[in-house]
Amino acid sequence: MPELAELAGAELANIVPRDRHNISRQDISPSALKVLYRLESAGFASFLVGGSVRDLLLGKSPKDFDIATDASPDELKRLFRNSRIIGRRFKIVHIRFGREVIEVTTFRAHHEVSNEIGDHIPRRQIKGLDSAHSSDGLILRDNVYGSIDQDALRRDFTVNALYYTTNGFKVLDFSSGMEDLAAKQIRMIGDPATRYREDPVRMLRAIRFAAKLDFSIEASTAAPIEELGELLLSISPARLFDETLKLFSTGYSVKTFALLQESGLGQYVIAPTLEALPLCPKPAAKLVHLALENTDNRIAADKSVTPYFLFAALLWPVLRLRQEQAQLDPSQMRSSLLSMANAAIAEQLDFTAIPKRISYASREIWELQWKLEHRNRRNVRSTINHPRFRAAYDFLLLREAAGEDLNASGQWWTDFQFSDTNQQEEFLGNLPTQRRRRRKRGGQRKSQSGINSRNRGSRA
Ligand code: ATP
Ligand code: MG
């Protein structure tokens, strides 16, 4: 087992001894402890790092445990049979214990940004290089191994760069992490503008952590965001989708939403929603707020949140606004729903990817709204057996809570679900056998798109 003093770079840390911090092994997942111990006994240095150390120091329970080590990915692979090397951007090793995955990364070094290699090579054409920057400073590949102090300084925020070792139970702080934790602030390591240029997603991360931890964003860390926000347009829609989901899964999504609006960053991830909110029918705007509150409550109660519900809610104002602008009469609402729903989703796709299975399910929630409102003897059973019924019913309740008058449909479905078979038959008997068709005479008005969709490169 190497001593800290033997680990290159460790001498640069401010070391917080066991009696000066509150981290206890009892709060660490047994799987993570196993990995730490096994690495130590094989002669490697290993540390808990990132969000887990930060959250433990704050007395919160971490959502996952990441480990940093001086063992290489191949050495890790040999040491842990239950491991797998993954990662396109970085090589990361996942060690699986049942349903839990411990993420282990080898200490990495930071790169100089004015790097000759990257200056002449267009993005996405770099093969076989281990480290490269594009001409605008964006990190493309990042697999240069380094010492622990270098590993610390390439992390984003000071509170995310604290290392905990079971070898002496110390916390190592290479920046001002402990101080910033105490001051409850998110502070970028190094020059904020440079670090945002390297990876613009760090701007969204600043907001996510500020909301989640109820921290402020330190002034010099916040300052460049307004000007550099548009760099997010260079980030792949797939990565922005992941990040957007994380933004709304912190358990503090109401606050995240407000920060996205305040900082101006919202226009790079949820622009269609933000543009529709002031123009759409009031209950649709209210629904977004209620859905976020609902999401936060669910996370507080340790329940899952489904991405398709989130997107159904976020894009509801967009859909509603489109419907309103198309001036449809009620009989046209249903036939045009599919194309309107697709259009609303397409607007979001200009900003973030949405995997098909998710956008499909969001659309199903919207489509089921019609059936939930327009019940007849035939469609009730198929509606209630639909795999998306539960989500659609929750959505219906939110719409009513947001002030839509849906003829007490929510109550009807609540009563129906909690009735026995005989009572249900009675409910069904009171319904019309068929949908009543009301057709207005006159031509269908052309749909007008009201929202300017923001063009993104080739998908304009
Ligand atoms: P969470 O509780 O949301 O998981 P986290 O801090 O663990 O928060 P992760 O996204 O899991 O965040 O990343 C783990 C760690 O990796 C971070 O704490 C940070 O040190 C580092 N890191 C992650 N993303 C970046 C980035 N874009 N730039 C620099 N460092 C990063
Ligand atoms: Mg994490």
Side-chain angles (χ1 to χ4, degrees):
M1 209 183 284
E3 286 308 311
L4 262 190
E6 295 165 25
L7 179 66
E11 74 281 1
L12 295 169
N14 182 7
I15 293 180
V16 187
R18 181 180 206 169
D19 57 358
R20 300 271 308 280
H21 65 74
N22 61 324
I23 298 183
S24 142
R25 263 172 302 169
Q26 283 165 0
D27 303 324
I28 301 173
S29 110
S31 319
L33 286 174
K34 258 187 224 164
V35 176
L36 290 169
Y37 290 143
R38 171 109 46 108
L39 280 166
E40 290 276 342
S41 54
F44 295 107
S46 70
F47 297 85
L48 214 54
V49 68
S52 56
V53 181
R54 178 198 69 215
D55 290 351
L56 287 171
L57 288 167
L58 290 171
K60 297 176 188 264
S61 55
K63 108 179 165 327
D64 44 37
F65 292 87
D66 297 335
I67 288 173
T69 177
D70 59 358
S72 71
D74 292 327
E75 286 168 328
L76 287 164
K77 188 91 195 28
R78 279 197 289 276
L79 213 51
F80 297 93
R81 273 196 307 137
N82 46 338
S83 67
R84 211 154 68 89
I85 298 180
I86 58 140
R88 270 178 308 165
R89 270 164 48 80
F90 319 121
K91 266 191 185 173
I92 292 170
V93 176
H94 275 181
I95 306 180
R96 184 172 282 281
F97 297 86
R99 298 182 68 186
E100 191 181 8
V101 173
I102 305 295
E103 196 165 289
V104 188
T105 48
T106 305
F107 294 143
R108 284 197 298 263
H110 189 74
H111 321 282
E112 285 306 315
V113 171
S114 56
N115 176 325
E116 289 162 40
I117 309 168
D119 281 341
H120 311 289
I121 302 178
R123 208 179 155 196
R124 298 184 203 290
Q125 283 191 8
I126 299 174
K127 281 215 177 93
L129 292 179
D130 275 341
S131 157
H133 284 81
S134 68
S135 52
D136 51 4
L138 202 73
I139 294 181
L140 299 171
R141 296 268 304 268
D142 191 3
N143 271 327
V144 174
Y145 300 122
S147 53
I148 185 170
D149 59 306
Q150 292 172 319
D151 189 79
L153 299 185
R154 59 118 199 137
R155 290 178 183 275
D156 47 7
F157 306 110
T158 59
V159 295
N160 284 351
L162 294 161
Y163 295 70
Y164 172 81
T165 171
T166 47
N167 185 0
F169 311 104
K170 295 165 177 134
V171 173
L172 276 64
D173 183 0
F174 293 88
S175 51
S176 55
M178 293 300 282
E179 246 172 72
D180 290 324
L181 265 188
K184 300 182 72 153
Q185 57 185 6
I186 301 297
R187 181 197 297 275
M188 181 67 87
I189 297 174
D191 172 53
T194 308
R195 306 292 320 276
Y196 290 138
R197 285 206 176 85
E198 286 173 358
D199 182 2
V201 169
R202 289 174 185 150
M203 291 183 269
L204 294 174
R205 289 174 59 86
I207 281 183
R208 167 152 67 92
F209 294 126
K212 172 175 157 163
L213 306 172
D214 197 20
F215 277 26
S216 60
I217 303 179
E218 178 275 327
S220 72
T221 303
I225 290 182
E226 193 183 341
E227 192 193 325
L228 298 182
E230 65 179 22
L231 294 177
L232 284 169
L233 293 170
S234 67
I235 299 300
S236 79
R239 187 160 176 229
L240 284 180
F241 168 76
D242 290 345
E243 202 52 41
T244 302
L245 267 194
K246 286 187 195 164
L247 279 166
F248 290 105
S249 314
T250 54
Y252 301 89
S253 63
V254 173
K255 179 135 191 242
T256 306
F257 194 87
L259 286 177
L260 280 174
Q261 282 181 299
E262 246 170 66
S263 65
L265 291 184
Q267 62 180 308
Y268 304 108
V269 282
I270 49 164
T273 305
L274 295 181
E275 284 170 27
L277 278 180
L279 309 170
C280 71
K282 281 228 165 56
K286 184 89 197 286
L287 178 130
V288 173
H289 192 79
L290 291 180
L292 295 181
E293 266 180 12
N294 202 32
T295 303
D296 293 345
N297 293 337
R298 285 185 68 89
I299 291 174
D302 234 1
K303 292 188 194 158
S304 65
V305 292
T306 44
Y308 60 79
F309 193 87
L310 177 71
F311 278 95
L314 284 176
L315 294 175
W316 184 243
V318 183
L319 175 66
R320 281 310 215 198
L321 179 61
R322 279 186 164 274
Q323 287 177 325
E324 195 176 76
Q325 286 167 332
Q327 301 186 0
L328 302 167
D329 71 50
S331 69
Q332 294 170 315
M333 286 288 227
R334 190 179 188 195
S335 57
S336 65
L337 179 64
L338 192 67
S339 62
M340 297 250 160
N342 285 340
I345 289 165
E347 283 186 40
Q348 179 60 27
L349 291 178
D350 278 342
F351 298 87
T352 67
I354 310 178
K356 277 256 161 56
R357 69 193 145 77
I358 291 174
S359 59
Y360 192 84
S362 304
R363 217 178 60 196
E364 283 179 319
I365 291 181
W366 295 338
E367 285 169 340
L368 281 169
Q369 297 306 303
W370 174 274
K371 288 191 180 159
L372 293 173
E373 288 171 58
H374 302 88
R375 299 170 294 279
N376 60 50
R377 275 182 222 174
R378 238 169 24 132
N379 70 8
V380 165
R381 292 276 177 217
S382 65
T383 302
I384 209 163
N385 291 327
H386 192 287
R388 229 55 74 193
F389 168 76
R390 185 72 219 182
Y393 163 71
D394 286 346
F395 200 86
L396 183 84
L397 295 182
L398 278 188
R399 288 173 62 201
E400 288 188 332
E404 264 194 271
D405 179 4
L406 303 175
N407 239 327
S409 290
Q411 192 60 50
W412 191 94
W413 285 100
T414 306
D415 294 341
F416 186 78
Q417 287 175 82
F418 295 105
S419 300
D420 60 32
T421 328
N422 287 339
Q423 288 169 315
Q424 287 192 344
E425 284 309 317
E426 221 171 284
F427 270 101
L428 292 176
N430 291 332
L431 291 176
T433 41
Q434 262 184 332
R435 198 158 26 89
R436 271 167 285 142
R437 282 175 193 273
R438 279 191 295 136
R439 278 256 160 91
K440 258 197 186 167
R441 278 205 254 147
Q444 185 174 338
R445 299 211 186 122
K446 269 224 173 111
S447 101
Q448 305 161 346
S449 140
I451 304 167
N452 297 325
S453 91
R454 189 172 265 280
N455 296 338
R456 276 184 61 130
S458 58
R459 292 181 303 153

